[in-house]
Amino acid sequence: MRRAVDSLFGRLALLVIGSLLLSHFAWYALMRLERNQQQTRYAVEEAVFVVDAVRQHVIHAPDQPLPSRVQLVDPQSPDVPENRTDLPEPLRRFLDDLRERLPATTQVRLGMPGKPPTLWVKAARDRNWIVVPVQPLRPPRSLDRMVLWLTMIFSAAVMAALLAAWQLQRPLRLLAQAVTRFGRNLPVPPLPERGPRELRQLTQGFNQMVQEVARTENDRAVMLAGVAHDLKTPLARLRLRAEMMDDARMRDGVVRDVDSMTHIVEQFLVFAHDSADRSGVVEVDAQCERVIHNYRAVSAPAAAVQTDLAAGAAFRLPAATLDRILSNLLDNAHAYGEPPVVVATARTAEGFTLSVSDHGRGIAAHDLQNASRPFVRLDPARGGNGHSGLGLAIVERLVRRAGGECEITNQTETGHGLRVRMVFPLASRSRTAAMTDAG
């Protein structure tokens, strides 16, 4: 199962959102702390200013009345509050900052609780306590306008960062898709060279590599097709002359050799053929029945091929591609394996499967990885005349071109025989139809 966080864009998005969330949270915490400290400093400066103003008023205008909320209280009065030690932390910090701001011998106390907040101040030169009102230190609200603004800024930053991340990973995603197509031997159009300098250089190198590989493949295909085409006419003349021989034994031997060479030439032509399959899409189960019926009609014994077709009507592939796959695998099993040959289809969790297995000697374990390489003949285990080593290579190329994967293994259930198992995605119907339309 594909997870979004496994992609480059998913990880970039997670990194961006996490970084922005951390930075905004830290900034918000610092702003709240700074606002609290600023509120305390403002209250201290206001209190110091009012106390100094009262002192100046007493010195220069003692006969003038004081404001209603400002009082001068005799030190012997019972209304003088005690020096409290059970104050909350904000008030204790406020008083400490106020004492630092005033002269060292100044006494600072708070009014009695339950009454309007007042501040009692008495310096050494003061005859009375100076009582002034003080603004209450309101604790910061948990949710305020700053949270709304932070949410808006965070959302805008996340959207902008995700857009930038998407633009950054888009060329890489296209390059990854192109590499996948290239690995399946599908046509790869040139990629636009966009993004950072390193990514442009990587895309440019990939485009050059694809062009060089395509040019090499084209030269090889032209060479194989040319050689095979030029050999068809001499082979036809050889067969005609062989059939005119009087010696039946020699005639049959020469005809068999010519047929073997003709089969090799046809394999060359099929391997060199690199164009898209333009045939219609058919149901795999029904087409397998038709191909096997025709194969039984021209091969002996008639019961050498068995079927176990259970994929259903949803499994569909191009007709020509399926015919070539089955023909090569049946010929390969008939030439190298032993009956019965079993053709099976199924629908599994990993996709639609098509398998062809025989009950022959199989392939040595160390040769399995080379079984589908072109022009590789695994003698003596699977030797024979009239074969060029292209059968399994053609099958693997056709399967990959149809969007599937090919696996060549020895059978473990019976202990002998070769099995070629092909897995196609469950969306093979739409993929092959699109591939046919594009061709």
Side-chain angles (χ1 to χ4, degrees), residues 133-361:
V134 64
Q135 294 293 333
L137 296 177
R138 293 185 296 270
R141 291 171 293 179
S142 59
L143 295 176
D144 53 11
R145 189 176 301 176
M146 184 182 296
V147 175
L148 177 61
W149 281 105
L150 278 176
T151 303
M152 296 174 60
I153 296 173
F154 176 77
S155 301
V158 166
M159 289 187 291
L162 290 182
L163 178 60
W166 182 79
Q167 291 288 347
L168 180 63
Q169 65 86 36
R170 188 167 179 267
L172 276 177
R173 179 170 57 86
L174 295 177
L175 181 59
Q177 294 174 353
V179 170
T180 302
R181 290 181 59 87
F182 183 73
R184 293 182 178 276
N185 200 24
L186 297 174
V188 180
L191 295 176
E193 299 175 7
R194 293 180 297 188
R197 182 179 66 254
E198 295 81 2
L199 187 55
R200 293 197 305 270
Q201 292 175 350
L202 179 61
T203 305
Q204 182 182 12
F206 177 77
N207 288 334
Q208 292 177 353
M209 180 189 69
V210 170
Q211 293 175 1
E212 291 296 328
V213 172
R215 186 179 299 111
T216 303
E217 288 287 335
N218 184 65
D219 293 342
R220 184 177 66 171
V222 170
M223 179 190 68
L224 288 176
V227 172
H229 183 271
D230 292 343
L231 286 176
K232 291 181 69 176
T233 301
L235 287 174
R237 291 199 299 265
L238 277 175
R239 183 181 180 86
L240 180 60
R241 292 175 181 175
E243 292 177 349
M244 295 180 181
M245 291 181 178
D246 296 331
D247 190 342
R249 184 176 180 181
M250 181 174 294
R251 180 180 65 243
D252 293 340
V254 174
V255 169
R256 283 195 301 269
D257 291 341
V258 172
D259 288 341
S260 297
M261 296 176 65
T262 303
H263 183 265
I264 293 175
V265 169
E266 290 176 351
Q267 291 287 78
F268 280 177
L269 288 175
V270 172
F271 187 77
H273 181 71
D274 200 28
S275 59
D277 189 350
R278 300 178 182 272
S279 61
V281 179
V282 297
E283 295 181 12
V284 173
D285 289 357
Q287 187 69 11
C288 285
E289 289 284 5
R290 287 191 288 268
V291 172
I292 293 171
H293 176 75
N294 295 333
Y295 185 81
R296 286 170 176 168
V298 298
S299 301
V305 182
Q306 300 177 1
T307 59
D308 181 14
L309 307 176
F315 188 16
R316 299 167 68 90
L317 289 174
T321 296
L322 182 58
D323 290 348
R324 291 174 181 170
I325 290 174
L326 288 176
S327 298
N328 278 280
L329 291 179
L330 290 174
D331 289 342
N332 190 76
H334 179 73
Y336 303 126
E338 296 180 5
V341 177
V342 181
V343 178
T345 63
R347 177 169 182 165
T348 64
E350 56 183 333
F352 293 110
T353 62
L354 169 63
S355 64
V356 178
S357 56
D358 61 64
H359 290 72
R361 299 173 56 187

Side-chain angles (χ1 to χ4, degrees), residues 264 336 373 375-379 382-389:
I264 293 175
Y336 303 126
R373 294 182 58 185
F375 307 107
V376 174
R377 297 176 60 184
L378 305 176
D379 291 332
R382 299 178 67 85
N385 295 324
H387 295 272
S388 58

